């Protein structure tokens, strides 16, 4: 009898605890340094086609077909860490850090390589990304000093992508979202330090 009463009390406590909001299902908090795979809710606010306003042409580059087999071969679990700082170097040499900005880890594939070469390096506008891509993105948020970290990263090559907002200190009349990306490779464990930066002329 006592065991049944104890079980009912424990069950009631656990239900109240979960319903009270003490357990939050969101995996990433701004500046927490915790990383997670992309979720459907996050996808609504993400467009890796055009992450900033510095795209130089209006001509839209069509994407290659989404390589399903290539993505299916990617590992989904791992133990490596990618950490670093995101910032711009202004024409005067000042560092402008990406404070509490979202960053993305995009596996290097033929699909993402096209984006990197045509859009990031070439400054061309890309057609909207295939929604299936978001199943393979990992994201995090930098802290107030521009430091970030991705945890539990599978071995492989990735583009680390983020945006730094900068205005007159970078020579712009109005604030601009400046995209910063870099290719990194991680092994089956350990930590890779990344200096995610771009120098403005």
């Amino acid at each position: 009898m006592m065991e049944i009463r104890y079980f009912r009390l424990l069950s009631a406590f656990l239900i109240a605890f979960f319903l009270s909001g003490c357990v939050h299902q969101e995996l990433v908090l701004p500046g927490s340094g915790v990383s997670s795979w992309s979720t459907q809710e996050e996808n609504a606010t993400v467009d890796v086609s055009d992450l900033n306003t510095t795209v130089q042409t209006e001509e839209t580059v069509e994407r290659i077909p989404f390589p399903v087999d290539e993505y299916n071969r990617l590992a989904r679990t791992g133990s490596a860490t990618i950490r670093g700082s995101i910032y711009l170097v202004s024409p005067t040499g000042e560092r402008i850090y990406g404070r509490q900005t979202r960053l993305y880890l995009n596996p290097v594939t033929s699909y993402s390589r096209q984006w990197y070469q045509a859009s990031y390096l070439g400054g061309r506008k890309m057609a909207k990304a295939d929604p299936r891509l978001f199943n393979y993105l990992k994201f995090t948020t930098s802290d107030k000093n521009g430091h970030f970290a991705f945890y539990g990263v599978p071995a492989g090559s990735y583009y680390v992508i983020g945006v730094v907002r900068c205005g007159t200190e970078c020579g712009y009349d109005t604030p601009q979202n400046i995209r910063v990306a870099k290719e990194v490779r991680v092994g089956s464990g350990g930590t890779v330090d990344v200096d995610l930066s771009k120098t403005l002329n």
Side-chain angles (χ1 to χ4, degrees), residues 11 19 35 40 46 74 87 93 97 193:
S11 298
L19 293 178
S35 58
Q40 187 172 4
V46 177
L74 295 175
Y87 62 90
Y97 287 91
D193 293 308

Side-chain angles (χ1 to χ4, degrees), residues 23-174:
V23 174
H24 200 285
Q25 294 181 0
E26 177 63 50
L27 296 177
V28 177
L29 299 175
S32 68
V34 177
S35 58
S36 170
W37 294 109
S38 178
T39 65
Q40 187 172 4
E41 183 179 347
E42 292 294 326
N43 294 349
T45 62
V46 177
D47 184 2
V48 296
S49 311
D50 187 9
L51 288 179
N52 68 352
T53 56
T54 59
V55 173
Q56 299 167 3
T57 66
E58 289 301 317
E59 176 191 0
T60 299
V61 176
E62 290 300 320
R63 291 179 181 266
I64 63 174
F66 189 78
V68 176
D69 291 342
E70 194 174 346
Y71 278 94
N72 283 342
R73 290 194 296 268
L74 295 175
R76 298 287 286 166
T77 60
S79 58
T81 297
I82 298 174
R83 67 183 182 189
S85 297
I86 179 172
Y87 62 90
L88 301 173
V89 179
S90 74
T92 62
E94 178 186 1
R95 286 189 178 188
I96 295 89
Y97 287 91
R99 296 178 172 86
Q100 295 185 326
T101 189
R102 185 166 295 164
L103 297 100
Y104 302 88
L105 205 57
N106 193 351
V108 175
T109 63
S110 58
Y111 194 75
S112 60
R113 193 176 296 113
Q114 183 200 24
W115 165 83
Y116 184 77
Q117 293 173 348
S119 183
Y120 182 69
L121 296 181
R124 302 171 70 190
K125 186 175 182 179
M126 300 290 294
K128 205 167 186 65
D130 190 298
R132 288 172 289 185
L133 172 64
F134 300 113
N135 295 323
Y136 302 92
L137 295 179
K138 199 173 177 66
F139 64 94
T140 192
T141 305
S142 63
D143 65 16
K144 62 181 180 180
N145 298 311
H147 301 307
F148 65 88
F150 293 93
Y151 300 106
V153 180
S157 295
Y158 299 88
Y159 294 117
V160 184
I161 308 162
V163 172
V164 180
R165 191 165 180 80
C166 194
T168 54
E169 64 270 42
C170 291
Y172 300 110
D173 293 332
T174 57

Side-chain angles (χ1 to χ4, degrees), residues 4-14:
I4 295 175
R5 187 175 301 169
Y6 173 79
F7 178 78
R8 287 178 178 169
L9 284 173
L10 180 61
S11 298
F13 172 80
L14 290 174

